[in-house]
Structures are given as C-alpha cells and as structure tokens.
Amino acid sequence: MAAVQTSYDDERDLANQLWGQIQMADAIAKLTTVVGLTKLKEIKESKLYRAFSGKSAVDREGNKIPDVGTWDGFCRALGTSANKVDEDLLNLRVFGEEAMENLSRIGAGYRELRQYRKLPEDQKQALIEVAKAGDKEGFVELAEEIIAKHAKEKEALATQVEEAQATLEAKDRVLQTRAELIGKLEEQVARSE
C-alpha cells in the first residue's frame, strides 16, 4: 500500500510540475505577444517596414508577397494580416500594455476586446482592475453584467429614438394638414374678394 501511495504521489507531483510549466509557458507567450505588439507599433509609426520596399517574399502558405515594404506585405511576411495587427494595436492603445497583459492572461479574445472598447471609460477601468487581480470568474461576471447593462441602455436609447421619430413624423403630418387647410382658406378668401 505504501509503494502504491508513493507511486501515486510521484505521478501527481510530476503532473503538477508539468501543469505549472505549461501555465508558465502560456503566461510568457502572452507576455511576449504584448512585447511584440509594442515593437510592431514602433515599426508602423516610424514606417521602418519601408526599408524592405521593392523586396518580395513568400508567406507561410507559399503565396508570393510582391512587396514586403508595405504595411500589408510586412504583416503578411510575419505570418499575420495588417487588419489583425491594426486591431491588436488599437486594443493596445485603448487598454495600455499592462491591461493588455492582464486581459490576455485571463483569456479575453478579440470579440470580447472589441466589445470592451465600446464601453464607457469608467466601465473599461473597472474591467481592467478586475483583470489585474487575475480573477477570471469575477472578470467574466462583471463583463457580462456591464455588457448586459450597456445593451439595455442601447435598447432604451433606440426606443427613445423611435419614439422621437414617430413624434416628428406626426408633427410633420399635422403641419402638412395645416398648410393644406391654410392654402384652401386663402383660396376661398381670394375667390370671395
């Protein structure tokens, strides 16, 4: 029984070690993503990619890139698209480096980040603070709550806009009817004179 217990403990310890190594590798990968984005930001802002102007290359799928000296060509040479890098850079600008690291660490994806960018500044900050704490469940709950609240507010505003348009259309009809009535009365007055 003691030999079985020792074997079990050794296997569990090894599994825990490997799990920790995987978590560490994942955290480093996400951190290097943010570092890589800051480097891409520098390259884009200073237009350093133009140093490859006129040079051709082949992307990961074997397709020819006619000019690596363009932003699109440069991004394709890196194995990504200019649209994806631009969206990543937008997220980096909106949330900042530290927040991007924290949001990446808890698993926020492109769709979520796109939704978070649309939120008011105070709500974005609340999400960032929860992300800093590393509480993924708390973050998801808060994000869902904020997004639901935002959706309700948007729906209420849409209803108000519809009501305002209906009121405006009704007023336009009343004005048109009055204008027609005034026109008829003026015509009658002109005839009677």
Side-chain angles (χ1 to χ4, degrees):
M1 184 67 172
V4 170
Q5 183 67 30
T6 303
S7 172
Y8 175 74
D9 288 343
D10 290 343
E11 287 176 0
R12 188 183 65 215
D13 289 346
L14 179 60
N16 281 331
Q17 273 183 332
L18 293 174
W19 184 25
Q21 290 171 357
I22 290 169
Q23 287 177 321
M24 178 194 66
D26 187 45
I28 289 172
K30 289 177 179 173
L31 174 65
T32 57
T33 299
V34 174
V35 171
L37 279 175
T38 59
K39 298 304 176 195
L40 283 171
K41 178 183 170 200
E42 288 176 30
I43 290 169
K44 184 175 184 181
E45 288 175 352
S46 63
K47 301 187 184 321
L48 285 173
Y49 56 86
R50 289 183 177 172
F52 298 109
S53 187
K55 306 287 185 209
S56 62
V58 178
D59 66 12
R60 291 182 181 179
E61 287 83 40
N63 302 317
K64 185 176 181 180
I65 303 169
D67 189 1
V68 183
T70 65
W71 179 242
D72 183 57
F74 184 77
C75 292
R76 283 183 54 204
L78 292 174
T80 187
S81 71
N83 288 341
K84 181 185 177 309
V85 173
D86 289 341
E87 185 162 346
D88 287 342
L89 292 175
L90 177 61
N91 288 333
L92 182 65
R93 183 175 50 80
V94 169
F95 297 110
E97 287 181 38
E98 182 182 357
M100 279 296 294
E101 288 173 14
N102 292 323
L103 290 167
S104 294
R105 193 176 315 119
I106 64 169
Y110 288 100
R111 199 172 325 145
E112 292 87 4
L113 291 174
R114 199 173 297 126
Q115 286 179 321
Y116 303 156
R117 280 195 317 254
K118 295 176 185 176
L119 295 174
E121 194 61 37
D122 61 331
Q123 293 175 349
K124 276 191 265 190
Q125 287 303 319
L127 284 174
I128 289 169
E129 291 303 317
V130 173
K132 282 181 185 177
D135 180 11
K136 186 173 183 174
E137 288 180 24
F139 177 82
V140 170
E141 288 175 18
L142 179 62
E144 288 174 351
E145 180 183 314
I146 288 173
I147 290 170
K149 179 182 172 188
H150 191 63
K152 286 179 186 176
E153 289 172 357
K154 189 174 179 181
E155 188 177 310
L157 287 173
T159 303
Q160 287 178 348
V161 167
E162 287 176 16
E163 290 172 359
Q165 285 176 331
T167 302
L168 184 60
E169 289 172 5
K171 286 181 179 181
D172 284 346
R173 284 193 302 271
V174 167
L175 288 174
Q176 185 177 1
T177 303
R178 284 184 181 169
E180 289 172 2
L181 181 60
I182 290 171
K184 287 179 184 177
L185 289 174
E186 287 175 346
E187 195 176 300
Q188 287 175 358
V189 168
R191 274 192 228 145
S192 64
E193 290 178 347

